Amino acid sequence: LVGWQFLNCVRLWTHVVSAMSDESALGQLIYPLSQVIQGILLAATSAVALPVKFLLIELLQMLAAHSGLFVPTFRIALEVLELSDLSPASKPSGSTDTAPTFQYMNRLPKGSLSKALVRDAVIEQVCSAIRREAEIYRYHISLPEYAFLTVRHLKGFVKKCKAGRWRDMIRNVLGTLESYVGDVKKERIARRI
């Protein structure tokens, strides 16, 4: 797993490159920086690395929003829903702890995904990552095709999920995403006429 020094360097460079994405030669660093971030994401496969994964998704989305380039993150967020530790078959344990604040963590304590509060926080992070991504490409003409598999995956998750709170959160995100897709489709039809 990566340490705070490295994460803060990546965060700093993301902010710098995002602020100067079209003004100077620093804008040329968007591609290599996004490749470094995606490389770290490929290495962060365990449930312990979820805080790092959520931070890096947010950084990729920042690069995409400020540069106008296509940097997909739907797939990365959806992979979290497939973790075996989040499966509905394993019952969460109750806890009197507070929910984790992922922005101040670079790893989850072992066994923390067995607690209901941590699981809920993970699902909230996934929903906010999907919502941010949808907001970035909300007016892009190819949003219906880009979001198709995500919508399908979320509908499948809602069907097999037994936790009512999770279903509600995912349905909310799904409704927002489908609304944006519908708006783009309507605009496509209007421009053909």
Side-chain angles (χ1 to χ4, degrees), residues 2-181:
V2 294
W4 277 114
Q5 184 176 5
F6 183 77
L7 287 175
N8 285 330
C9 287
V10 170
R11 182 184 295 149
L12 173 70
W13 274 107
T14 302
H15 283 279
V16 169
V17 170
S18 295
M20 304 190 162
S21 60
D22 42 336
E23 295 176 8
S24 67
L26 285 176
Q28 303 289 324
L29 294 176
I30 289 174
Y31 180 74
L33 182 59
S34 68
Q35 290 299 308
V36 167
I37 293 171
Q38 288 177 356
I40 301 166
L41 281 167
L42 285 174
T45 56
S46 71
V48 175
L50 284 176
V52 169
K53 190 172 272 207
F54 292 133
L55 170 69
L56 296 175
I57 289 171
E58 189 175 340
L59 294 178
L60 283 174
Q61 290 171 341
M62 182 186 297
L63 283 173
H66 287 86
S67 68
L69 298 175
F70 180 65
V71 184
T73 60
F74 274 150
R75 177 192 54 83
I76 303 165
L78 292 175
E79 285 174 357
V80 175
L81 295 177
E82 297 299 318
L83 288 173
S84 60
D85 296 331
L86 287 176
S87 73
S90 58
K91 291 273 187 191
S93 61
S95 175
T96 58
D97 296 342
T98 59
T101 309
F102 286 107
Q103 65 187 19
Y104 302 120
M105 304 171 81
N106 69 343
R107 68 186 68 194
L108 285 175
K110 290 192 181 205
S112 62
L113 272 180
S114 64
K115 297 178 182 173
L117 278 174
V118 177
R119 287 178 168 199
D120 290 346
V122 167
I123 298 297
E124 286 173 11
Q125 287 291 317
V126 169
C127 290
S128 64
I130 292 171
R131 192 174 287 115
R132 277 192 314 267
E133 180 83 357
E135 199 62 45
I136 291 169
Y137 300 111
R138 180 179 184 175
Y139 299 108
H140 200 276
I141 194 161
S142 66
L143 179 66
E145 289 78 21
Y146 175 50
F148 175 76
L149 289 176
T150 302
V151 168
R152 195 166 138 201
H153 191 280
L154 291 176
K155 284 182 179 179
F157 183 81
V158 167
K159 280 184 183 176
K160 66 181 178 181
C161 181
K162 293 181 171 91
R165 179 178 157 101
W166 292 5
R167 274 195 314 268
D168 293 342
M169 286 190 285
I170 297 292
R171 279 188 189 133
N172 187 358
V173 171
L174 191 55
T176 302
L177 192 54
E178 287 177 327
S179 167
Y180 292 168
V181 166

